[in-house]
Amino acid sequence: MAVAAFTIAADGSYAARLAGEGEARYAERWTLAGPEPYAVPLPLAQPEEADSEVLPLADGRVLIHRRVADRHAFALLYPTGAAAGPRTGELQLGGVDAQEGVRVRLLPPSPDGAAAFALASEDTVTTVWQVAGCPFGPQPVARIPGRCSGGVWLDRAGRMLALDRELEGTTKAVAVDLARGDVSPLLQITEDSDDLLLLADPDSGLLLIRSDAPGEPRLGWGVLGSARPVRFPECLRPADAHPFAAQPGQALMPETCGVALRLPEGDIGLWRPADRHVFRLGAPAGWLGGAGLWSPQGRLHLPYATPEVPCGIVGLNLPVSPPPPVRVDPPAAPRPVPLQQAPL
């Protein structure tokens, strides 16, 4: 299972990670909504495996996904007060049978903060499971032909999910309606190109895309529902740059939406579609998992943990775009004046 080192709830209220080292792993919840962030460890009698996944819910509980024997088991962890000190409560949610060749992993936090979903991918079909927020344990909500990866939410209701589907030799992003189980095309730049969706902002409709339609894998951007083509700015040319957060609240203004990029050397790039360059900044020491969260005002919050500060947040402002260069035309050569029009 691919483990996200640090996962932030969609509303920014909580975050979760698998803390500890070696065989002493445990879930840890961060509270981000207050004036200062603080972490609450959620250890159990038995340490967690290093490949377990954790995901925060909006009510403060932490969903954990474990591989237990021949099942993928899901449970909710939460702190409980006790006379002997703080303890961890656990609510079992059931599980999904493990099968040969089927990869099961958690999807990013749902925008509604109450439900959680997992993706079970095999060569010919992919199943989306709802694993939290349902009354009778995990249940399948959609089956998609082909092997799917990725996972990007397209709306604030937690109904429309984008997945990158590999089918017949190409990979295209598709939209899945989890309420109805319907699948519809989302990206097709050319018929033979691999078109993946990396990030979406439901407020502005901004989409960050990776496609080999230009002849090599390139980062591009478009707008959900727009008839305008995808654009591939030269400043986003580094193939290994990966967008991880977009500025919310920019309704109908995708060009002004701030985007945070994880750059190959470990630095951070800040970019707007209206800009023709990327602002490059050094990442804070102890930055966790390439995660971050934008405020609507254009401030990027980055979580970090060091021996001196085990739970910290550093903020970066989105720089003001420089004005466009001023073009100064050379003065025109003087024109000869006919003698009849010459001044006395």
Side-chain angles (χ1 to χ4, degrees), residues 215-227:
E216 61 179 345
R218 291 277 301 273
L219 276 181
W221 70 279
V223 181
L224 185 64
S226 172

Side-chain angles (χ1 to χ4, degrees), residues 24-309:
R25 304 272 183 159
Y26 58 91
E28 183 179 76
R29 187 195 72 187
W30 287 35
T31 299
L32 305 177
E36 293 290 338
Y38 64 93
V40 175
L42 297 172
L44 294 169
Q46 182 175 347
E48 306 292 348
E49 297 292 336
D51 63 350
S52 298
E53 295 180 298
V54 292
L55 182 147
L57 300 184
D59 62 6
R61 294 181 296 179
V62 173
L63 174 73
I64 187 165
H65 166 212
R66 309 178 178 104
R67 176 68 183 267
V68 180
D70 58 352
R71 285 174 66 79
H72 294 273
F74 303 92
L76 290 174
L77 306 179
Y78 52 93
T80 62
R87 305 178 68 88
T88 302
E90 182 175 15
L91 175 63
Q92 299 291 337
L93 298 178
V96 176
D97 290 338
Q99 300 179 37
E100 184 72 24
V102 179
R103 180 190 177 206
V104 177
R105 63 175 180 85
L106 293 179
L107 286 167
S110 173
D112 67 2
F117 298 86
L119 200 66
S121 304
E122 50 187 305
D123 288 337
T124 58
V125 66
T126 298
T127 304
V128 179
W129 288 83
Q130 184 172 353
V131 297
C134 41
F136 304 110
Q139 59 184 24
V141 293
R143 285 177 64 84
I144 305 103
R147 175 177 286 273
C148 292
S149 58
V152 177
W153 294 101
L154 299 175
D155 63 353
R156 294 292 182 196
R159 174 173 175 171
M160 299 302 298
L161 175 70
L163 297 171
D164 298 322
R165 176 173 68 175
E166 181 184 351
L167 190 65
E168 298 179 355
T170 59
T171 302
K172 304 284 187 186
V174 296
V176 183
D177 185 335
L178 298 184
R180 304 175 60 178
D182 296 339
V183 182
S184 57
L186 181 63
L187 289 177
Q188 182 162 315
I189 301 176
T190 68
E191 186 175 347
D192 299 327
S193 59
D194 291 329
D195 307 320
L196 287 69
L197 181 63
L198 306 181
L199 188 69
D201 175 62
D203 295 334
S204 63
L206 178 67
L207 305 178
L208 271 295
I209 296 156
R210 191 184 305 279
S211 173
D212 60 4
E216 61 179 345
R218 291 277 301 273
L219 276 181
W221 70 279
V223 181
L224 185 64
S226 172
R228 299 181 65 183
V230 173
R231 279 143 285 185
F232 295 92
E234 191 65 24
C235 64
L236 296 183
R237 196 173 188 91
D240 294 334
H242 186 83
F244 63 88
Q247 181 184 359
Q250 305 301 100
L252 304 179
M253 296 190 298
E255 289 83 1
T256 66
C257 185
V259 175
L261 302 142
R262 185 173 65 248
L263 300 179
E265 297 81 5
D267 291 342
I268 295 168
L270 304 182
W271 170 79
R272 303 177 189 86
D275 296 336
R276 295 186 178 182
H277 62 279
V278 174
F279 295 97
R280 193 183 192 103
L281 303 171
W287 183 30
L288 292 173
L293 186 73
W294 284 99
S295 72
Q297 296 74 31
R299 189 167 177 82
L300 178 64
H301 300 274
L302 300 172
Y304 69 95
T306 63
E308 297 77 20
V309 183

